[in-house]
Structures are given as structure tokens and as C-alpha cells.
Amino acid sequence: MTSSAGLDQDPAAGARNLLQTCAQCREGDRLLIAYEPELHGYFDADVLLSVETEARSLGLHVTLADVGFEPTRGHLPADLISVIAEHDVVLFLSRLGDQLRFSELPDGPRFVVCFASNSHLLGSSFGRADYEALCRVKYAIDDAIAATRRIVVTCSNGTEVTGQLPPADASPRDTSVQRFPMSVFSPVPADLFSGRVALGGFLTGTGSQYYEDYSIEFEGRVWALLDSGRLIGFEGSGADVAKANAHYDRVAAQFDLDRGFVHSWHAGIHPGCGFPWALRENFERWGGAAFGNPRVLHFHTCGAYPPGEISWNVFDPTIELDGVRVWEHGRLYPERFAGGAEILNGYPDLKRLFADPDREIGLGDVA
């Protein structure tokens, strides 16, 4: 039965959570909203209206900047840099913020990227769930993973990957832009992970660069073979394996990438992250929101930098940390890692959300 977690809509509450709890905006602050117009087919105009309206009601001085959309842009536009310097907070309601999430950004303002691409997502439990509480979950999971000697990732479709963290000084940094909502833990380096990854029926991009044939679908089941952080091949039908290899060849050649490099992986941690639309209607929008659901684990591949250019998506993962199933068949159980029960007891609304999570991830498999 579908959870009712995301059915009550209150975009204003989601906007306050974004502005006050995440971005730490206070009355009198100067807020720059770098937005992507609806005509580009990703962010709906209603989410901009909701956030702008709430920002003004909170006494913020709001500036709007249309940053458009550039498929391969990975830097701040020159005309935006001087404007940024005049603001306390820069909020990206645009894919530009996602493209910049691992980039060096100017000192001074706080930078936030919003993954709620419409007012439904903003007003659902995805946008309303306490940002601070989810940050505490994220930090506790980071600590639990750092203390783990052996990590095993499996799924019912045949994923079986085993590994461990490299030395602490080799761990990747997290994003330079704050995510809203907080949806994933820090990326786990894939250097010491090996095994077989069941792909979710497709390959799609990571939100770093956008290119022609950004997503491809397979006819049957396909598995990626991973050896110490390297893609060494695919298993599946001959046609599907050829299609996967051709996709990697093309993307790697287009951006001059290390084709076989698998950078890192992480899974969703947000129990209210529901995606009620069909995945195949828009892979780009799906990849920019549904990744936060605990039913989704993804690897960053094709490129020796975060997040690479092609993602592997595993559905309903089980993640064992030294034998403890912290994720089980796509459900995250915070009480199973150190400090998790205390977090849930301190945030009763979040505890209820974990008890009855939103299971919609665009697959149409939740009745």
C-alpha cells in the first residue's frame, strides 16, 4: 500500500524549511535566487513562486537571476560572480547548482541547491521533513561507515558488491554546495569495492553534464562488473552488452574521460523522498530527485572525478555494515546504527516518517 507520507501538501512549509533551517536565512539577509526557467523542462515555475513568496514574507531582500540552462556548463557565469558577492545566500533553483556541487565557489555567501523541482516535491514530506534532523542522520551514517571494516551491498536482482573504505586521507570531500533536502550520505570511494552490480534497466547521466542520448534503456537484465573501482565489463544479452559498451565509449570519448573509472557510491536516506511520476517520462528529473529515496543506491562512473558522467542505479538495496543490515530491501533503519535511535527519539515526526516511508520511485510498483 502506498504511504500517505507525501500526500499532504504545504509548499510554504517546505520553503521555510529550505530558507530558515537549511540556508540559515534571517530577516534582512540578501538572497539571490539563481533560477532556471520552466521552458527548459526541469524546474516548474510554481516552485520559484513558492520560494520567492515565502522569502519576502520572512523579510529577506530577494534578487532573481535567470541563469538559463547550459548542458555542459560547469562554472559560474561571469556576469553572475559580481552579483553573488552582494548577497548572503545564493539559492540555486536550477541545474547549474547541481553541476557546480563539487566545484570551488567564491568565499562569502552560503550556497544551496534545491532538488525539489516543483511545488509538489517542495510541499510534500520530501521538502517539509526537518532538514537539521536529516543532517544528523547523514552525519551518523557517515560515522558508521567510517567505523566499518566490511561493507556488503546486495539486491534481489543479483547485486553483490563487497569492499571497505580506503585510508581516511583518501576519502573524497562532500559537496561544496549544500543540498536541500538532505538526501544522501557522503560518497563512499569505490577504490576497494568489487563485485557485480544489477543495473535498474537503464544507464543515465549524473547531472554533471547533459548530452545527447543522456539515458539508454536495456531489453533485459544487465549487470556491471566491478573490480577494485574499475568497470571491467557487462553481463547480459549480447545486444544489451553491446549497447552499454557503445554508450560508455561515446560518453568517454565526448568528454575525454577515463572510461572504466568508478569513483564512488551512495544511497538515499530520505524516507519522504517520493517520486510519483513515471521514471521514463523524464530521466533527468528522476535522477535529480528520486536518488534520495532509500530504495535507490547509485554509483558514480565514467570519469576520474565526482560524480563522473554515468550512474548505475540499484533498486531496493540491502547494505550491511560489518554484518548489520542498516538498509534492508530498500528500507533504511536508523535505529540499527550508532546514534540512530537517539536521533529518531529527538525528532518524532521523522521517526513516524521512517516507520511509514514513501516508497514511490517512479517504477509503478507501489500499489
Side-chain angles (χ1 to χ4, degrees), residues 30 32 80-88 90 106-107 109:
R30 300 162 298 172
L32 174 64
L80 191 63
I81 294 175
S82 59
V83 178
I84 283 173
E86 301 170 354
H87 291 82
D88 302 298
V90 178
D107 293 332

mmCIF file with all atom_site columns, all heavy atoms in Angstrom, residues 30 32 80-88 90 106-107 109:
data_model
loop_
_atom_site.group_PDB
_atom_site.id
_atom_site.type_symbol
_atom_site.label_atom_id
_atom_site.label_alt_id
_atom_site.label_comp_id
_atom_site.label_asym_id
_atom_site.label_entity_id
_atom_site.label_seq_id
_atom_site.pdbx_PDB_ins_code
_atom_site.Cartn_x
_atom_site.Cartn_y
_atom_site.Cartn_z
_atom_site.occupancy
_atom_site.B_iso_or_equiv
_atom_site.pdbx_formal_charge
_atom_site.auth_seq_id
_atom_site.auth_comp_id
_atom_site.auth_asym_id
_atom_site.auth_atom_id
_atom_site.pdbx_PDB_model_num
ATOM 1   N N   . ARG A 1 30  ? 20.282 39.096 2.396   1.00 0.00 ? 30  ARG A N   1
ATOM 2   C CA  . ARG A 1 30  ? 20.172 39.308 0.947   1.00 0.00 ? 30  ARG A CA  1
ATOM 3   C C   . ARG A 1 30  ? 20.236 37.932 0.270   1.00 0.00 ? 30  ARG A C   1
ATOM 4   O O   . ARG A 1 30  ? 21.257 37.260 0.340   1.00 0.00 ? 30  ARG A O   1
ATOM 5   C CB  . ARG A 1 30  ? 21.293 40.214 0.456   1.00 0.00 ? 30  ARG A CB  1
ATOM 6   C CG  . ARG A 1 30  ? 21.295 41.601 1.114   1.00 0.00 ? 30  ARG A CG  1
ATOM 7   C CD  . ARG A 1 30  ? 22.631 42.286 0.943   1.00 0.00 ? 30  ARG A CD  1
ATOM 8   N NE  . ARG A 1 30  ? 23.695 41.515 1.607   1.00 0.00 ? 30  ARG A NE  1
ATOM 9   C CZ  . ARG A 1 30  ? 24.991 41.792 1.503   1.00 0.00 ? 30  ARG A CZ  1
ATOM 10  N NH1 . ARG A 1 30  ? 25.397 42.808 0.757   1.00 0.00 ? 30  ARG A NH1 1
ATOM 11  N NH2 . ARG A 1 30  ? 25.891 41.057 2.133   1.00 0.00 ? 30  ARG A NH2 1
ATOM 12  N N   . LEU A 1 32  ? 19.911 35.677 -3.168  1.00 0.00 ? 32  LEU A N   1
ATOM 13  C CA  . LEU A 1 32  ? 19.923 35.609 -4.622  1.00 0.00 ? 32  LEU A CA  1
ATOM 14  C C   . LEU A 1 32  ? 19.360 34.247 -5.036  1.00 0.00 ? 32  LEU A C   1
ATOM 15  O O   . LEU A 1 32  ? 19.889 33.198 -4.645  1.00 0.00 ? 32  LEU A O   1
ATOM 16  C CB  . LEU A 1 32  ? 21.357 35.762 -5.157  1.00 0.00 ? 32  LEU A CB  1
ATOM 17  C CG  . LEU A 1 32  ? 21.536 35.563 -6.671  1.00 0.00 ? 32  LEU A CG  1
ATOM 18  C CD1 . LEU A 1 32  ? 20.780 36.628 -7.456  1.00 0.00 ? 32  LEU A CD1 1
ATOM 19  C CD2 . LEU A 1 32  ? 23.021 35.571 -7.042  1.00 0.00 ? 32  LEU A CD2 1
ATOM 20  N N   . LEU A 1 80  ? 27.432 36.513 -13.276 1.00 0.00 ? 80  LEU A N   1
ATOM 21  C CA  . LEU A 1 80  ? 26.782 36.170 -12.008 1.00 0.00 ? 80  LEU A CA  1
ATOM 22  C C   . LEU A 1 80  ? 27.732 36.352 -10.824 1.00 0.00 ? 80  LEU A C   1
ATOM 23  O O   . LEU A 1 80  ? 27.278 36.572 -9.694  1.00 0.00 ? 80  LEU A O   1
ATOM 24  C CB  . LEU A 1 80  ? 26.285 34.720 -12.068 1.00 0.00 ? 80  LEU A CB  1
ATOM 25  C CG  . LEU A 1 80  ? 25.349 34.249 -10.955 1.00 0.00 ? 80  LEU A CG  1
ATOM 26  C CD1 . LEU A 1 80  ? 24.050 35.036 -10.970 1.00 0.00 ? 80  LEU A CD1 1
ATOM 27  C CD2 . LEU A 1 80  ? 25.065 32.760 -11.100 1.00 0.00 ? 80  LEU A CD2 1
ATOM 28  N N   . ILE A 1 81  ? 29.028 36.261 -11.067 1.00 0.00 ? 81  ILE A N   1
ATOM 29  C CA  . ILE A 1 81  ? 30.004 36.298 -9.971  1.00 0.00 ? 81  ILE A CA  1
ATOM 30  C C   . ILE A 1 81  ? 29.936 37.605 -9.196  1.00 0.00 ? 81  ILE A C   1
ATOM 31  O O   . ILE A 1 81  ? 29.924 37.618 -7.954  1.00 0.00 ? 81  ILE A O   1
ATOM 32  C CB  . ILE A 1 81  ? 31.420 36.044 -10.508 1.00 0.00 ? 81  ILE A CB  1
ATOM 33  C CG1 . ILE A 1 81  ? 31.518 34.612 -11.048 1.00 0.00 ? 81  ILE A CG1 1
ATOM 34  C CG2 . ILE A 1 81  ? 32.466 36.276 -9.418  1.00 0.00 ? 81  ILE A CG2 1
ATOM 35  C CD1 . ILE A 1 81  ? 32.843 34.280 -11.706 1.00 0.00 ? 81  ILE A CD1 1
ATOM 36  N N   . SER A 1 82  ? 29.854 38.739 -9.909  1.00 0.00 ? 82  SER A N   1
ATOM 37  C CA  . SER A 1 82  ? 29.805 40.028 -9.209  1.00 0.00 ? 82  SER A CA  1
ATOM 38  C C   . SER A 1 82  ? 28.504 40.190 -8.437  1.00 0.00 ? 82  SER A C   1
ATOM 39  O O   . SER A 1 82  ? 28.475 40.797 -7.356  1.00 0.00 ? 82  SER A O   1
ATOM 40  C CB  . SER A 1 82  ? 29.979 41.179 -10.205 1.00 0.00 ? 82  SER A CB  1
ATOM 41  O OG  . SER A 1 82  ? 28.959 41.129 -11.192 1.00 0.00 ? 82  SER A OG  1
ATOM 42  N N   . VAL A 1 83  ? 27.417 39.631 -8.959  1.00 0.00 ? 83  VAL A N   1
ATOM 43  C CA  . VAL A 1 83  ? 26.125 39.706 -8.266  1.00 0.00 ? 83  VAL A CA  1
ATOM 44  C C   . VAL A 1 83  ? 26.171 38.863 -6.993  1.00 0.00 ? 83  VAL A C   1
ATOM 45  O O   . VAL A 1 83  ? 25.655 39.273 -5.942  1.00 0.00 ? 83  VAL A O   1
ATOM 46  C CB  . VAL A 1 83  ? 24.985 39.230 -9.198  1.00 0.00 ? 83  VAL A CB  1
ATOM 47  C CG1 . VAL A 1 83  ? 23.649 39.268 -8.466  1.00 0.00 ? 83  VAL A CG1 1
ATOM 48  C CG2 . VAL A 1 83  ? 24.943 40.078 -10.458 1.00 0.00 ? 83  VAL A CG2 1
ATOM 49  N N   . ILE A 1 84  ? 26.796 37.707 -7.066  1.00 0.00 ? 84  ILE A N   1
ATOM 50  C CA  . ILE A 1 84  ? 26.898 36.819 -5.910  1.00 0.00 ? 84  ILE A CA  1
ATOM 51  C C   . ILE A 1 84  ? 27.551 37.518 -4.733  1.00 0.00 ? 84  ILE A C   1
ATOM 52  O O   . ILE A 1 84  ? 27.138 37.360 -3.576  1.00 0.00 ? 84  ILE A O   1
ATOM 53  C CB  . ILE A 1 84  ? 27.672 35.545 -6.297  1.00 0.00 ? 84  ILE A CB  1
ATOM 54  C CG1 . ILE A 1 84  ? 26.771 34.607 -7.108  1.00 0.00 ? 84  ILE A CG1 1
ATOM 55  C CG2 . ILE A 1 84  ? 28.210 34.821 -5.058  1.00 0.00 ? 84  ILE A CG2 1
ATOM 56  C CD1 . ILE A 1 84  ? 27.490 33.404 -7.681  1.00 0.00 ? 84  ILE A CD1 1
ATOM 57  N N   . ALA A 1 85  ? 28.575 38.297 -5.001  1.00 0.00 ? 85  ALA A N   1
ATOM 58  C CA  . ALA A 1 85  ? 29.332 38.963 -3.938  1.00 0.00 ? 85  ALA A CA  1
ATOM 59  C C   . ALA A 1 85  ? 28.477 39.917 -3.120  1.00 0.00 ? 85  ALA A C   1
ATOM 60  O O   . ALA A 1 85  ? 28.842 40.274 -1.990  1.00 0.00 ? 85  ALA A O   1
ATOM 61  C CB  . ALA A 1 85  ? 30.521 39.713 -4.540  1.00 0.00 ? 85  ALA A CB  1
ATOM 62  N N   . GLU A 1 86  ? 27.343 40.308 -3.648  1.00 0.00 ? 86  GLU A N   1
ATOM 63  C CA  . GLU A 1 86  ? 26.474 41.272 -2.964  1.00 0.00 ? 86  GLU A CA  1
ATOM 64  C C   . GLU A 1 86  ? 25.398 40.594 -2.113  1.00 0.00 ? 86  GLU A C   1
ATOM 65  O O   . GLU A 1 86  ? 24.532 41.277 -1.573  1.00 0.00 ? 86  GLU A O   1
ATOM 66  C CB  . GLU A 1 86  ? 25.805 42.182 -3.997  1.00 0.00 ? 86  GLU A CB  1
ATOM 67  C CG  . GLU A 1 86  ? 26.801 42.964 -4.846  1.00 0.00 ? 86  GLU A CG  1
ATOM 68  C CD  . GLU A 1 86  ? 26.126 43.674 -6.005  1.00 0.00 ? 86  GLU A CD  1
ATOM 69  O OE1 . GLU A 1 86  ? 24.899 43.458 -6.206  1.00 0.00 ? 86  GLU A OE1 1
ATOM 70  O OE2 . GLU A 1 86  ? 26.818 44.431 -6.714  1.00 0.00 ? 86  GLU A OE2 1
ATOM 71  N N   . HIS A 1 87  ? 25.470 39.262 -1.977  1.00 0.00 ? 87  HIS A N   1
ATOM 72  C CA  . HIS A 1 87  ? 24.410 38.529 -1.296  1.00 0.00 ? 87  HIS A CA  1
ATOM 73  C C   . HIS A 1 87  ? 24.951 37.643 -0.182  1.00 0.00 ? 87  HIS A C   1
ATOM 74  O O   . HIS A 1 87  ? 26.120 37.251 -0.198  1.00 0.00 ? 87  HIS A O   1
ATOM 75  C CB  . HIS A 1 87  ? 23.615 37.694 -2.307  1.00 0.00 ? 87  HIS A CB  1
ATOM 76  C CG  . HIS A 1 87  ? 22.804 38.529 -3.245  1.00 0.00 ? 87  HIS A CG  1
ATOM 77  N ND1 . HIS A 1 87  ? 23.354 39.115 -4.366  1.00 0.00 ? 87  HIS A ND1 1
ATOM 78  C CD2 . HIS A 1 87  ? 21.496 38.912 -3.211  1.00 0.00 ? 87  HIS A CD2 1
ATOM 79  C CE1 . HIS A 1 87  ? 22.414 39.820 -4.989  1.00 0.00 ? 87  HIS A CE1 1
ATOM 80  N NE2 . HIS A 1 87  ? 21.289 39.707 -4.307  1.00 0.00 ? 87  HIS A NE2 1
ATOM 81  N N   . ASP A 1 88  ? 24.073 37.348 0.766   1.00 0.00 ? 88  ASP A N   1
ATOM 82  C CA  . ASP A 1 88  ? 24.435 36.492 1.896   1.00 0.00 ? 88  ASP A CA  1
ATOM 83  C C   . ASP A 1 88  ? 24.202 35.017 1.580   1.00 0.00 ? 88  ASP A C   1
ATOM 84  O O   . ASP A 1 88  ? 24.908 34.149 2.081   1.00 0.00 ? 88  ASP A O   1
ATOM 85  C CB  . ASP A 1 88  ? 23.603 36.878 3.128   1.00 0.00 ? 88  ASP A CB  1
ATOM 86  C CG  . ASP A 1 88  ? 23.794 38.332 3.514   1.00 0.00 ? 88  ASP A CG  1
ATOM 87  O OD1 . ASP A 1 88  ? 24.932 38.706 3.844   1.00 0.00 ? 88  ASP A OD1 1
ATOM 88  O OD2 . ASP A 1 88  ? 22.798 39.085 3.468   1.00 0.00 ? 88  ASP A OD2 1
ATOM 89  N N   . VAL A 1 90  ? 23.045 32.287 -1.705  1.00 0.00 ? 90  VAL A N   1
ATOM 90  C CA  . VAL A 1 90  ? 22.752 32.032 -3.112  1.00 0.00 ? 90  VAL A CA  1
ATOM 91  C C   . VAL A 1 90  ? 22.004 30.703 -3.179  1.00 0.00 ? 90  VAL A C   1
ATOM 92  O O   . VAL A 1 90  ? 22.540 29.664 -2.776  1.00 0.00 ? 90  VAL A O   1
ATOM 93  C CB  . VAL A 1 90  ? 24.025 31.970 -3.972  1.00 0.00 ? 90  VAL A CB  1
ATOM 94  C CG1 . VAL A 1 90  ? 23.668 31.655 -5.426  1.00 0.00 ? 90  VAL A CG1 1
ATOM 95  C CG2 . VAL A 1 90  ? 24.804 33.276 -3.873  1.00 0.00 ? 90  VAL A CG2 1
ATOM 96  N N   . PRO A 1 106 ? 33.093 30.969 -4.775  1.00 0.00 ? 106 PRO A N   1
ATOM 97  C CA  . PRO A 1 106 ? 33.604 32.164 -4.092  1.00 0.00 ? 106 PRO A CA  1
ATOM 98  C C   . PRO A 1 106 ? 33.327 32.146 -2.593  1.00 0.00 ? 106 PRO A C   1
ATOM 99  O O   . PRO A 1 106 ? 32.298 31.629 -2.139  1.00 0.00 ? 106 PRO A O   1
ATOM 100 C CB  . PRO A 1 106 ? 32.842 33.309 -4.776  1.00 0.00 ? 106 PRO A CB  1
ATOM 101 C CG  . PRO A 1 106 ? 32.390 32.757 -6.089  1.00 0.00 ? 106 PRO A CG  1
ATOM 102 C CD  . PRO A 1 106 ? 32.148 31.297 -5.862  1.00 0.00 ? 106 PRO A CD  1
ATOM 103 N N   . ASP A 1 107 ? 34.253 32.691 -1.827  1.00 0.00 ? 107 ASP A N   1
ATOM 104 C CA  . ASP A 1 107 ? 34.054 32.828 -0.389  1.00 0.00 ? 107 ASP A CA  1
ATOM 105 C C   . ASP A 1 107 ? 32.962 33.853 -0.107  1.00 0.00 ? 107 ASP A C   1
ATOM 106 O O   . ASP A 1 107 ? 32.739 34.778 -0.891  1.00 0.00 ? 107 ASP A O   1
ATOM 107 C CB  . ASP A 1 107 ? 35.358 33.275 0.290   1.00 0.00 ? 107 ASP A CB  1
ATOM 108 C CG  . ASP A 1 107 ? 36.439 32.217 0.213   1.00 0.00 ? 107 ASP A CG  1
ATOM 109 O OD1 . ASP A 1 107 ? 36.095 31.029 0.141   1.00 0.00 ? 107 ASP A OD1 1
ATOM 110 O OD2 . ASP A 1 107 ? 37.635 32.588 0.219   1.00 0.00 ? 107 ASP A OD2 1
ATOM 111 N N   . PRO A 1 109 ? 29.191 34.037 0.499   1.00 0.00 ? 109 PRO A N   1
ATOM 112 C CA  . PRO A 1 109 ? 27.792 33.590 0.621   1.00 0.00 ? 109 PRO A CA  1
ATOM 113 C C   . PRO A 1 109 ? 27.688 32.098 0.954   1.00 0.00 ? 109 PRO A C   1
ATOM 114 O O   . PRO A 1 109 ? 28.610 31.326 0.721   1.00 0.00 ? 109 PRO A O   1
ATOM 115 C CB  . PRO A 1 109 ? 27.208 33.869 -0.770  1.00 0.00 ? 109 PRO A CB  1
ATOM 116 C CG  . PRO A 1 109 ? 28.188 34.729 -1.462  1.00 0.00 ? 109 PRO A CG  1
ATOM 117 C CD  . PRO A 1 109 ? 29.520 34.441 -0.867  1.00 0.00 ? 109 PRO A CD  1
#
